[in-house]
Amino acid sequence: QVQLVESGGGLVQAGGSLRLSCAASGIIVRINTMAWYRQAPGKQRELVALITSGEGTNYADAVKGRFTISRDNTKNTVYLQMNTLKAEDTAVYYCNADLSRLLGVRGNYWGQGTQVTVSS
């Protein structure tokens, strides 16, 4: 069974920084794309950033220049460094991973979410 466990959320003042982590555990052959999504109250879940197995990255326009996604394949972990946070960044942040498991099984998995609250 695969699990994604996020950590690092919390309350921060506008202009501050937070670093989210998401560790994947279980029988994993290869982690392909990893991503962070967020969902604010009353809004749809949206892609924040993704990083491919080749470490190519893509960001939502709203976070470009402020957020940085990275990964450590030795730890099966993806990070999201969030700087210059704004009140509109307040949301539950979810980790997502596209994984290859034994026997060629490939699946998409979600973490439980971590709350990020930015006070203005």
Side-chain angles (χ1 to χ4, degrees):
Q1 186 174 354
V2 171
Q3 278 193 316
L4 300 181
V5 179
E6 299 118 332
S7 60
L11 174 64
V12 64
Q13 287 188 332
S17 298
L18 282 175
R19 188 193 195 207
L20 305 183
S21 300
C22 171
S25 63
I27 301 175
I28 300 168
V29 173
R30 174 186 169 93
I31 301 179
N32 304 306
T33 299
M34 302 186 82
W36 288 96
Y37 287 75
R38 67 186 181 187
Q39 187 166 19
K43 295 188 176 182
Q44 289 189 332
R45 190 172 297 189
E46 62 177 2
L47 176 67
V48 175
L50 66 82
I51 184 166
T52 66
S53 58
E55 305 209 13
T57 58
N58 193 24
Y59 296 91
D61 288 343
V63 307
K64 281 180 182 176
R66 300 188 297 122
F67 291 10
T68 302
I69 189 170
S70 61
R71 62 192 286 171
D72 183 339
N73 293 326
T74 66
K75 298 180 180 178
N76 286 346
T77 298
V78 63
Y79 304 97
L80 185 68
Q81 178 66 45
M82 305 185 293
N83 298 329
T84 318
L85 282 159
K86 304 175 181 179
E88 50 264 44
D89 295 318
T90 296
V92 178
Y93 284 70
Y94 296 91
C95 174
N96 177 271
D98 179 81
L99 307 174
S100 296
R101 306 187 65 195
L102 296 176
L103 303 178
V105 174
R106 186 165 178 170
N108 189 269
Y109 299 86
W110 290 91
Q112 80 285 356
T114 186
Q115 177 70 46
V116 171
T117 302
V118 183
S119 62
S120 56

